[in-house]
Amino acid sequence: MKKIILSIITILFFNNTNAQNEIDALRYSTNNMIGSARYSAMGGAFGSLGGEFSSLSSNPAGLGMYQSSEFTFSPNFDLNNRTTYFNNKSSEYNSAISIGSLGLVSSIPQKDPNWKRINFAIGWNQLAKYNNSTKIEGSSNNSIVNDFIDISNGTSVENLLNSYSIMAWETYLMNPDPQNNNQYISNLSNNTKRQSKSIEQNGSMNEFILSAASTYQDKLYIGATIGINTLNYYEYSEYYEEELDTTNNLRGLLFSEEISNYGTGFNIKLGAIYRISEDLKFGISVHSPKFLNIKEDYNTAITSYFKDSTLHYSIGYYTPFEYYLMTPLKSSISASKLFNNSISGFKLPLLLSAELEMIDYSTSEYLTSDFEDENETISRIYQNTANIKIGAELRVNPIILRTGYARYGSPFVNSIDIASENYCFGLGIDHQVYFFDVSYILSESTTEHILSNNNIIPVIDTKHSMRFTLGLRF
């Protein structure tokens, strides 16, 4: 079963006054299985293959293999199903259409017999998508008010500075404990409460690329990509809690959060591919960290409801942020082998490829002051991990059959295994002047969501993705 890095641990928001935390750093350090239809159908295992526009965001040396100019366009369709289990089973669906890749390659022949051509490329690749809908419904005697109390205890009323503490106090969710100085008690009962939460997330990480590559005697291929990143992320959540004890004066509360992120950044990718023989190639690549400048608008509010239906209290805060984030460096090694099979004189060439990526999520770092606690948490809970990609392509003219598998390792130390697995299938038609490819990716995931006061909710994701690519050579 696929376990993907989609944990939305809301309790982390209560640990600091910044809306940014280690979850944001992980989100913007992680890429998804996106790209063109051929690239995704083979699990993204293109580190030593080349001749594929999406691979310029992984190993730009592959650009050197182009022997003609090319234009490609790749639209995507995704259908996500997220299921949660909290006393009850709740399912939400989310669908989206987007552009996974758009690019132009120019191949320029050279007179030098050793360096036969110089190739350039310009275009756009989508690196990650954040679209999800979550619905959690159930009952528990735990309460989110206890979370507000935990961050308020030890502080007198007149010295409450944390926004969550102030909102809980101003909406009468908690009162001072008459028996303990600077301690608080909940105005909700200890009995079972009906609880629900809805979360809507959308956005993406994209990369505008400028690439150049060349080849030495068609044996050694070298290339570089300058990636200009843009990101947008929006999340809105509502948590509702209602007393089942009809005698309690405080009947319930609504806690909402809204996050809007917009950012830009850049990184550099370098790569090389060496052709050992006509059938065997090896590749290597290094990606510098992405340096991101992110602007964020954070809104949060609490409304409390009482037995008197006309009585309720509301308070909210709007906080703008701007910060700088450095994501981890990434490196990869890869290999591919072509088997020239034939049956009764009918050629059936089989291409196999594999790629190993290494990335240390613990090296993500906020470069803005006052983020020391977040950076310490990042270095403590994240680890170095490996991503494995495997792909196969069989040509049965005029049809090309493809399949692939990709596993993205868990970034967490001493935690549940939330690695990501992708099962990929596709086919294509290549008529020299033009080509058309289609792929299907099945993803399943299991993770956890902390609802309130350590209510741990199992979350299961199923994602169906279709990729289409139309290409023209000239």
Side-chain angles (χ1 to χ4, degrees):
M1 177 175 289
K2 174 185 169 188
K3 299 178 179 178
I4 195 169
I5 306 168
L6 290 172
S7 179
I8 313 158
I9 307 176
T10 56
I11 199 71
L12 293 170
F13 283 111
F14 305 134
N15 292 336
N16 52 73
T17 56
N18 292 328
Q20 308 81 27
N21 52 47
E22 54 271 31
I23 297 301
D24 298 277
L26 179 62
R27 180 190 303 120
Y28 302 133
S29 300
T30 306
N31 294 345
N32 298 150
M33 177 56 64
I34 315 260
S36 69
R38 186 185 179 211
Y39 181 87
S40 58
M42 296 180 65
F46 269 81
S48 63
L49 291 181
E52 166 57 49
F53 186 83
S54 292
S55 70
L56 304 187
S57 288
S58 56
N59 188 350
L63 175 62
M65 294 188 182
Y66 279 92
Q67 298 186 37
S68 63
S69 299
E70 181 178 287
F71 171 79
T72 61
F73 172 66
S74 301
N76 301 333
F77 173 76
D78 299 290
L79 176 63
N80 303 336
N81 170 230
R82 172 164 285 188
T83 303
T84 61
Y85 296 87
F86 180 41
N87 306 139
N88 304 300
K89 175 182 176 181
S90 301
S91 295
E92 288 288 302
Y93 292 86
N94 181 289
S95 62
I97 297 175
S98 62
I99 299 175
S101 179
L102 177 67
L104 177 66
V105 173
S106 177
S107 181
I108 304 174
Q110 303 295 305
K111 296 180 180 180
D112 190 323
N114 291 319
W115 300 90
K116 296 182 179 180
R117 57 187 175 275
I118 297 177
N119 296 341
F120 297 95
I122 184 172
W124 183 88
N125 282 328
Q126 188 173 74
L127 303 181
K129 295 179 69 174
Y130 307 124
N131 294 10
N132 262 309
S133 298
T134 307
K135 182 71 174 180
I136 301 172
E137 294 179 313
S139 58
S140 170
N141 56 7
N142 289 324
S143 173
I144 198 172
V145 178
N146 295 328
D147 296 321
F148 300 138
I149 290 174
D150 287 343
I151 62 174
S152 304
N153 282 338
T155 306
S156 62
V157 171
E158 58 272 16
N159 290 321
L160 289 176
L161 298 177
N162 185 284
S163 59
Y164 303 107
S165 301
I166 296 172
M167 289 190 295
W169 170 257
E170 294 292 341
T171 54
Y172 298 92
L173 297 180
M174 64 183 190
N175 275 334
D177 186 343
Q179 299 179 358
N180 296 285
N181 290 332
N182 298 332
Q183 301 290 303
Y184 299 86
I185 57 176
S186 174
N187 283 327
L188 289 171
S189 73
N190 293 323
N191 298 322
T192 300
K193 305 164 192 66
R194 183 180 295 111
Q195 297 171 329
S196 66
K197 185 169 187 178
S198 61
I199 308 169
E200 289 293 331
Q201 300 165 286
N202 59 69
S204 61
M205 171 82 77
N206 306 299
E207 183 172 66
F208 177 76
I209 65 173
L210 296 168
S211 300
S214 188
T215 175
Y216 181 74
Q217 296 183 347
D218 275 324
K219 297 280 288 185
L220 175 65
Y221 304 84
I222 56 174
T225 290
I226 297 175
I228 301 172
N229 304 109
T230 61
L231 73 87
N232 67 88
Y233 175 75
Y234 177 80
E235 177 180 322
Y236 180 76
S237 65
E238 286 189 348
Y239 172 87
Y240 183 69
E241 194 169 302
E242 180 184 17
E243 280 275 13
L244 297 180
D245 180 1
T246 58
T247 64
N248 200 71
N249 186 41
L250 177 60
R251 300 299 306 134
L253 67 97
L254 176 66
F255 173 56
S256 65
E257 291 182 292
E258 184 180 34
I259 303 170
S260 296
N261 282 355
Y262 300 93
T264 57
F266 70 93
N267 81 332
I268 297 173
K269 304 174 179 68
L270 302 174
I273 297 173
Y274 187 73
R275 186 187 297 272
I276 304 294
S277 66
E278 285 300 314
D279 302 331
L280 181 62
K281 291 180 292 185
F282 288 93
I284 185 171
S285 69
V286 177
H287 299 189
S288 77
K290 289 195 291 283
F291 296 91
L292 298 170
N293 171 223
I294 300 174
K295 295 181 180 180
E296 176 173 304
D297 292 326
Y298 178 60
N299 290 280
T300 183
I302 292 178
T303 301
S304 57
Y305 303 91
F306 292 81
K307 185 180 293 186
D308 181 351
S309 60
T310 64
L311 186 63
H312 64 272
Y313 298 91
S314 296
I315 185 173
Y317 282 89
Y318 163 72
T319 311
F321 295 96
E322 182 174 5
Y323 58 96
Y324 294 88
L325 175 66
M326 181 183 72
T327 66
L329 178 145
K330 182 166 63 175
S331 60
S332 74
I333 56 175
S334 54
S336 58
K337 171 68 174 176
L338 178 64
F339 297 89
N340 290 302
N341 306 311
S342 63
I343 298 177
S344 300
F346 188 73
K347 293 183 178 180
L348 294 171
L350 173 64
L351 177 63
L352 299 180
S353 62
E355 183 173 351
L356 177 67
E357 288 182 342
M358 286 74 72
I359 181 170
D360 187 352
Y361 290 101
S362 69
T363 60
S364 294
E365 182 179 359
Y366 287 102
L367 302 179
T368 305
S369 59
D370 298 327
F371 281 83
E372 290 79 8
D373 290 343
E374 288 78 7
N375 287 334
E376 190 279 330
T377 301
I378 288 170
S379 64
R380 176 170 47 85
I381 70 172
Y382 295 146
Q383 66 175 349
N384 185 27
T385 191
N387 304 328
I388 300 172
K389 304 175 183 180
I390 302 171
E393 180 179 84
L394 177 65
R395 289 183 174 266
V396 186
N397 288 326
I399 303 297
I400 307 170
L401 304 177
R402 303 183 179 106
T403 187
Y405 169 81
R407 184 185 190 277
Y408 295 81
S410 173
F412 289 97
V413 175
N414 299 326
S415 182
I416 59 171
D417 179 17
I418 55 171
S420 163
E421 295 180 319
N422 302 269
Y423 303 92
C424 315
F425 310 90
L427 56 86
I429 298 175
D430 191 335
H431 281 285
Q432 302 303 317
V433 176
Y434 72 90
F435 58 91
F436 177 76
D437 301 311
V438 61
S439 67
Y440 167 74
I441 303 98
L442 172 64
S443 303
E444 294 179 339
S445 67
T446 300
T447 185
E448 294 176 345
H449 180 98
I450 300 181
L451 184 64
S452 67
N453 200 240
N454 292 323
N455 269 341
I456 299 176
I457 312 301
V459 179
I460 297 176
D461 286 287
T462 302
K463 181 177 180 181
H464 305 271
S465 302
M466 296 292 298
R467 310 277 184 253
F468 305 91
T469 297
L470 176 63
L472 301 173
R473 299 187 182 98
F474 51 92

